[in-house]
Amino acid sequence: MKVLVVGGGGREHAIIWKLKQSPKVTELYCAPGNGGIAEIATCVPIKATDVDAMVEYAKKEQFDLVFVAPDDPLALGMVDKMEAAGLRAFGPHANAAIVEASKAFSKELMKKYNIPTAKYQTFTNQDEALAYLETQDMPIVIKADGLALGKGVIIAQTLDEAKKAVVSMMSDGAFGTAGSTVVIEECMVGPELTILAFSDGKTVIPMISSRDHKRAYDHDEGLNTGGMGAVTPGANLSAEDDKVIYDSIIAPTIAALAAEGRPFKGVIYFGLMLTKDGPKVVEYNARFGDPECQAILPRMENDLMELIDACIDGTLDQVKLSWKPGCSCVVVMASGGYPEKYDKGYEITGIADCGHIVFQAGTALKDGKLVTSGGRVLCVYADGATMDEAIDSAYEGVKKISFEKMHYRTDIGRTLN
Ligand code: AMP
Ligand code: GLY
């Protein structure tokens, strides 16, 4: 099969690395890709959000499969448009990808189908939002409705902070049109957990659990980022806990979307909080998480193409997932200053000899050298029989890689609670 993967981050590197092992895949392309992906696939300089150019290119090259990995092209309907052009594509249609693209939609869905989540209200009028805040306990969570690169969420400790957040989103356009509708919700407390699952619209199969580390600095300090590291499993859950999550959240979500005429085919992301009242949904994403994907795929024993085919063809009920036992850890190495201002163009050394799987994100090839080109530069993967073994091994790899002004957290996986 000749396959095109849309995207260019660490997640896409991991997807391509895994697809490369599939006996069904003969040719791999990535658009736009990055410096690391270029070593194992042909990279094509088309922006992931340029839907029309991507469809034209895919038609011209007659790909057997187009895997749409990032949120923006999914929300823009890239899968629908590929199919309309007669191509086979993996990922949810726009009408299902809305679970990520609109928080107001997903909160409404959860309310209608009794899926546990934080209590909330949606507002399109700023005065009403401000008046509502006066009646609520603090802390409280303010969310921009649309896609905002994971940054459209503010946890306000005081009424003053909450009001400022509402005004910045609704009047000052801090997140553009993503903030013209806001969701204000109860602040939940508890450890967070990610569950990714394959879905063919009817059957849903969860993968091993994982846990992201979103803050920039150790001890969960600093700004929210796209993710500074991840581990699998994300929590020590009993079979009973797994069943509660499946029965109260995972299966009902897929059934709800099907009932609404929006069957979800692809990978769905459940961002959960394990509260004292049981597991609750923080958010849905319509895709593999990054960096959770990089921690999960190397442990997957199935051929990823087998799962993709089953999701598209509606035969997931005939598939069983199997996993390499133990634990895994990925540590993200970022450009100093990320997620705010940072410099690019620094040479990266040590990857080839580090003895670990390295998934690259913000890297580019320049005059034959690998250089930094983004905030999250790469991540180092390791697994082990225990969590400590996996973490120690990942950090051994990190120590062998270097570039100027690099920054990484030293406590990935160490602060699980
Ligand atoms: P989201 O973009 O919805 O995933 O939110 C980003 C992060 O904000 C989450 O990973 C949580 O850490 C935090 N968060 C979001 N909603 C809530 C909530 N209702 N209660 C507490 N924390 C939240
Ligand atoms: N790791 C969080 C996300 O991919 O949105």
Side-chain angles (χ1 to χ4, degrees), residues 96 197-206 246 249-259 262-266 268 270 309-318:
F198 290 102
S199 169
D200 66 5
K202 310 180 297 277
T203 302
V204 55
I205 309 184
Y246 186 85
I249 293 173
I250 296 177
T253 298
I254 296 304
L257 284 165
R262 299 169 182 271
F264 192 103
K265 288 184 166 211
I268 183 162
F270 297 88
D309 282 338
C311 288
I312 298 175
D313 297 334
T315 55
L316 208 49
D317 56 342
Q318 290 159 39

Side-chain angles (χ1 to χ4, degrees), residues 141-362:
V141 182
I142 324 282
K143 297 184 173 184
D145 175 51
L147 296 176
L149 293 172
K151 301 185 185 89
V153 174
I154 292 172
I155 301 179
Q157 300 298 330
T158 64
L159 181 60
D160 192 43
E161 256 178 73
K163 286 182 168 174
K164 283 195 178 121
V166 164
V167 172
S168 79
M169 287 183 197
M170 301 189 84
S171 282
D172 306 341
F175 302 102
T177 52
S180 56
T181 299
V182 298
V183 170
I184 300 182
E185 67 179 36
E186 160 203 17
C187 189
M188 301 185 286
V189 182
E192 286 188 56
L193 182 70
T194 301
I195 309 268
L196 293 166
F198 290 102
S199 169
D200 66 5
K202 310 180 297 277
T203 302
V204 55
I205 309 184
M207 303 181 214
I208 45 175
S209 71
S210 54
R211 175 97 174 254
D212 187 9
H213 295 59
K214 288 201 171 97
R215 300 294 199 95
Y217 302 118
D218 284 7
H219 314 298
D220 285 337
E221 284 172 11
L223 292 173
N224 255 331
T225 69
M228 294 299 291
V231 291
T232 73
N236 289 316
L237 297 180
S238 65
E240 178 97 0
D241 296 331
D242 283 341
K243 187 168 158 30
V244 169
I245 293 173
Y246 186 85
D247 290 346
S248 67
I249 293 173
I250 296 177
T253 298
I254 296 304
L257 284 165
E260 294 290 312
R262 299 169 182 271
F264 192 103
K265 288 184 166 211
V267 171
I268 183 162
Y269 174 118
F270 297 88
L272 306 180
M273 199 167 277
L274 307 176
T275 76
K276 65 177 179 20
D277 303 320
K280 293 189 182 179
V281 177
V282 177
E283 63 161 345
Y284 296 124
N285 290 328
R287 52 175 172 85
F288 268 115
D290 184 337
E292 289 96 325
C293 178
Q294 295 93 304
I296 289 174
L297 285 185
R299 285 191 56 200
M300 182 186 284
E301 286 175 340
N302 303 66
D303 177 353
L304 179 57
M305 192 50 80
E306 174 198 2
L307 274 309
I308 292 171
D309 282 338
C311 288
I312 298 175
D313 297 334
T315 55
L316 208 49
D317 56 342
Q318 290 159 39
V319 177
K320 198 174 169 329
L321 284 180
S322 67
W323 301 97
K324 181 174 179 180
C327 302
S328 69
C329 174
V330 289
V331 178
V332 170
M333 300 181 74
S335 298
Y338 171 77
E340 296 185 283
K341 207 169 135 18
Y342 55 85
D343 296 322
K344 306 183 212 182
Y346 297 118
E347 185 177 356
I348 306 164
T349 57
I351 294 182
D353 309 319
C354 79
H356 285 72
I357 298 171
V358 174
F359 295 122
Q360 299 181 30

